[in-house]
Structures are given as structure tokens and as C-alpha cells.
Amino acid sequence: MYLPVAFQTLFLALLAALGWGMNLLLLSRVGIQTRPILQLAELPTTTSSAQRIDAGVYDIFRLARVLGTVALLGWLLSALLSDQKTQTAVTLATYIAVILLLIMPQRALCHTVRMQFLGLLGRIVKPSLEDPVWLADIVMADILTSCARMFADLVLVACQFGRFIWPIRHEALEDRGGLQALAQFVRQRQAQNACTSAGILGVFLVCAPYAFRLRQCVNEYLKAVPGSNDARRHLANAIKYASSFPVIALSATQRQVTVDGVMETKYSDWALRMAFGLWIAAVVFNSLYSFYWDVAFDWNLGHTASGWKLSDLITGPSEEKPLVLSPAEAIGQDTRVIASQRRFPCMLRPHLRFGSPRIYYAAIALDFLLRIAWTMKLSSYVRIDMMAYGGFWLNVLEIYRRWQWTFLRLEKEAAS
């Protein structure tokens, strides 16, 4: 059965929501209390489980189940129809139903979770450099960066809905001569290709999540003590998100040139090679820098037995003073705990909440491979979108990468 872009985007968004709920559920299973870490308001808890998992976690699954059922029914109904206008009408009705269920003010259908989610989005998009930045806002903004490509797809979906609501009147080609016939032909060609490319609006929407995250980094940098390790860390993090903009812009330029044939001059080959070279340089820097940041800062891995760690490349040695124990305290310490703090797996860290080091090594390897694979989605030379659901499956892989990133991001906070 055919899965149109409109339903691909809807199902991917629901998959990201389910991944977030699974993050919270599994972290609770291993004894990590995520609500204090994320700095969210306390929600009622249920005692039906021995672990007393937050009821909000179940509400996320319940909400995703309801919205997923609506999306699935809409997709099945549109697939059974043969008329294109009726299919578009069903798709539009599905989107309206999902949006209304998400934003309705009534205290029903996981009201607290829905309002928390909308509140998070409101704080993320608010252009303020004075409001505090909570960890929940940071994690949600990072999740949005993994969904950035879906925002460009929403432009195509909105265009299809717009053409359905305000249909374009097709004029029959008349036997005209000169510029009038040419102008009429161009108008018809533009109408046929109206919803095949997101254009400049799609580029801005893809950049938007990175701009939100960049604003958060600048906000934290301005609040940090000048010259401190925190200030250097936030500034370096801001550079990481800013480095995404050249990748997106150069990718859009190459795609426009190669697909639409905009540059039909004797310099077009040279310009394409130059744009491709700049794109490669931007991709290599952004991918490797982002991978390094995941490991060294977001997951706080890369420690050595001598006390040096990967994050010292940017922030320098830690400003924290070593803990000095009195003789009585030292005698009371468990010698096995002290020994375990001195010996830990290579290039990880002393405290690992997930136990097996293989989990961390596998996460590092997958993070590197999936970050490289994600760049293919943006390349004009690797036409993923021309493959059968190639872009869809790359989005699924990116959502998985963000899913495992969130596990270790919150585990790092709990371990520290």
C-alpha cells in the first residue's frame, strides 16, 4: 500500500513521541527518576507497579495510541479510495482531527501531558535571551532537530491542502503566438510543479530547530561567568548548531541547481564543483563535531585513568576541586567502591548506570554511523528521495539515533 508524504510525516512524529515515552519508561525501570532531572512539575504517580512509574509516562503512550489510531484509520481510508480529491479531503480531515485532539483545552485525553508538551514548544520558540533554559527544553529542542526534515515535508503537505481548498483553474491551451503562448505554458508548468519542492520556506523550516537550539546556547552563554568553563562550553555548543546552517544552505543550493537546471552557463560545472566541495567540508566538520559533542559532553564519556577527558579539549581541566576525605571518613569508605572508581572501562567514565560497558561502546559506534548516514538525506548527489521510501527510512534511523542519545543524555545527568 502506498504511504504518501502526509502520512509519512504524521507517523514519524508519532514514532518520535513513542520513543520519548519509551525513554522515560525504561529509565524509570532502572531506577532513574527523570522528572527531577528534566525539572518538570511533579505529576501524580501510580502504585500499580513496584517501581511506581510516573502516570505521565503512561499518558504519553495513551495519547500516542489515540493519535496513532486516528492517523492509521485516515491512511487506510484514503488508501481504499481512488479519487485523488477525496483522498486529499480524508488526509486533511485526519490532520485536523489530530491537531484538535492535541490542543483542545478540555481536561480530557491526557490533559497534563498535552499542556506540558505545548508549554515546552512555547518556551523553545520564544525568542528570549533572559528566560531560564530548563533541561527539558534542551532535550525537546534536540529532538526537534532530528525532526527538522519533516518540517520541510509539511510545506508540501500544506501546499497540497491549499490546492485542494483553493483549486487552480487550468486554462486550455489556445492557439496563440509569441509571448502570450509562452506565458500561458509557463503558468501551467508552474501549477503542475507547485507542490513538488518545499523551496526557500522549506529551507527556513529545516533551519528553525537548529536556530531554537542556538538561541538556548547563546542564552546560557550570556548567563555564564565570562571566561569560565561553562561559558566556553556554551559558546562551543552554539558553534556546533551554527555549523548546521551551511550544510542545509549548500545542500538546498545543489539540489536547486541540479534538479531545476537554474545555472545554465559556462560556469555551471565550476560552480557545482565549488558548491559540492564546500558542502563536503561543512558536512565533515558538522558531523564530526556533533559526534564529538555527543560523546564528550552530552554523554560525558571519554575519561582516562589519569583524569583527562575528551571534554578538556574545549573547556580545559575541570574547575571542580577533588574530594578530600578525613582519615576517619576514608576508613569508613567501602574499599570496593574506591577501587571501582579508579578502574573503569577504557574511554568511558567511572560511574555507569547501565552497567555493561558494551552498551556504551555500541551507542558510540551507532551514533557515528547514523550521523554520517543522516547527511545523505541532505545531499543532492545521493538521491535518497528517489528510492522507495528512502527518505522515510532515513528519518526512522535518525529518530532511533535520537532515542538512544536521549537515554545516555539523561543517564549522564543521573550519574553525575
Side-chain angles (χ1 to χ4, degrees):
M1 297 178 69
Y2 176 62
L3 184 62
V5 174
F7 285 103
Q8 288 183 31
T9 305
L10 207 53
F11 288 137
L12 286 170
L14 292 171
L15 179 63
L18 285 173
W20 173 244
M22 188 62 67
N23 285 136
L24 300 181
L25 178 64
L26 295 182
L27 286 170
S28 297
R29 294 285 188 182
V30 298
I32 296 177
Q33 299 299 320
T34 56
R35 242 162 244 294
I37 294 174
L38 292 170
Q39 302 166 316
L40 292 173
E42 291 293 330
L43 288 178
T45 58
T46 176
T47 56
S48 58
S49 171
Q51 283 83 11
R52 291 178 56 85
I53 302 170
D54 282 338
V57 177
Y58 293 115
D59 284 344
I60 294 174
F61 286 111
R62 181 185 169 205
L63 180 61
R65 185 171 64 248
V66 172
L67 298 181
T69 301
V70 173
L72 182 62
L73 290 176
W75 171 55
L76 292 176
L77 181 58
S78 66
L80 294 175
L81 299 172
S82 57
D83 182 63
Q84 185 176 2
K85 290 185 177 180
T86 309
Q87 289 178 340
T88 305
V90 171
T91 306
L92 177 59
T94 303
Y95 266 76
I96 293 174
V98 169
I99 293 173
L100 290 179
L101 287 174
L102 188 61
I103 66 174
M104 63 178 182
Q106 286 79 8
R107 292 189 171 275
L109 189 59
C110 316
H111 175 266
T112 303
V113 169
R114 290 189 292 106
M115 293 303 105
Q116 280 188 338
F117 172 70
L118 296 176
L120 281 174
L121 291 183
R123 291 197 301 271
I124 290 171
V125 302
K126 184 179 179 181
S128 171
L129 294 178
E130 298 179 355
D131 294 342
V133 179
W134 309 108
L135 181 60
D137 301 344
I138 293 173
V139 174
M140 183 59 65
D142 276 319
I143 292 175
L144 291 181
T145 61
S146 295
C147 302
R149 186 62 194 176
M150 290 188 281
F151 295 134
D153 294 336
L154 284 176
V155 175
L156 304 181
V157 175
C159 179
Q160 294 174 0
F161 291 161
R163 292 189 64 181
F164 170 75
I165 298 173
W166 299 284
I168 300 176
R169 184 170 59 91
H170 295 281
E171 299 178 359
L173 283 174
E174 300 178 2
D175 187 13
R176 299 176 181 176
L179 294 178
Q180 290 184 346
L182 179 61
Q184 185 180 4
F185 174 76
V186 169
R187 284 196 299 269
Q188 290 199 358
R189 292 287 295 179
Q190 289 177 341
Q192 293 174 359
N193 299 327
C195 297
T196 58
S197 174
I200 190 65
L201 179 58
V203 174
F204 279 116
L205 289 178
V206 171
C207 290
Y210 299 96
F212 298 150
R213 193 67 187 89
L214 175 62
R215 193 269 306 169
Q216 291 176 340
C217 294
V218 174
N219 190 347
E220 292 182 302
Y221 171 74
L222 295 176
K223 289 180 170 61
V225 177
S228 64
N229 282 354
D230 281 342
R232 287 192 290 269
R233 176 168 58 88
H234 294 314
L235 179 60
N237 203 11
I239 293 173
K240 182 192 75 171
Y241 288 103
S243 69
S244 301
F245 300 141
V247 176
I248 298 169
L250 289 169
S251 175
T253 301
Q254 292 181 89
R255 190 179 296 270
Q256 184 75 11
V257 169
T258 56
V259 174
D260 296 341
V262 173
M263 299 179 63
E264 296 294 344
T265 70
K266 61 180 180 180
Y267 302 106
S268 59
D269 291 340
W270 173 85
L272 280 174
R273 287 195 297 270
M274 175 63 73
F276 181 69
L278 292 174
W279 181 82
I280 287 293
V283 163
V284 169
F285 176 79
N286 176 258
S287 298
L288 294 181
Y289 191 17
S290 298
F291 168 70
Y292 161 76
W293 198 273
D294 287 345
V295 176
F297 287 93
D298 290 340
W299 298 346
N300 192 26
L301 302 177
H303 290 236
T304 62
S306 63
W308 184 86
K309 52 187 182 295
L310 284 176
S311 59
D312 291 345
L313 291 173
I314 288 180
T315 62
S318 175
E319 296 173 345
E320 296 179 358
K321 297 181 180 180
L323 179 62
V324 178
L325 298 178
S326 65
E329 291 173 330
I331 293 174
Q333 289 291 315
D334 191 335
T335 56
R336 291 174 297 176
V337 174
I338 297 176
S340 65
Q341 291 176 352
R342 291 177 180 173
R343 295 192 301 270
F344 54 88
C346 178
M347 295 305 291
L348 295 184
R349 54 176 145 82
H351 303 287
L352 303 176
R353 293 296 299 270
F354 291 150
S356 175
R358 295 181 181 179
I359 297 176
Y360 298 85
Y361 291 132
I364 292 172
L366 285 173
D367 188 74
F368 176 76
L369 294 175
L370 293 178
R371 275 203 175 276
I372 297 301
W374 180 240
T375 61
M376 293 192 300
K377 176 69 176 175
L378 302 176
S379 173
S380 61
Y381 290 89
V382 185
R383 297 294 293 160
I384 296 296
D385 292 332
M386 300 302 293
M387 306 176 187
Y389 302 114
F392 174 78
W393 290 114
L394 267 185
N395 277 309
V396 171
L397 289 176
E398 173 60 15
I399 290 174
Y400 168 79
R401 189 196 68 80
R402 183 60 64 183
W403 178 73
Q404 77 162 20
W405 174 91
T406 305
F407 269 121
L408 294 184
R409 179 68 177 87
L410 298 182
E411 182 268 352
K412 168 246 184 177
E413 295 294 332
S416 60

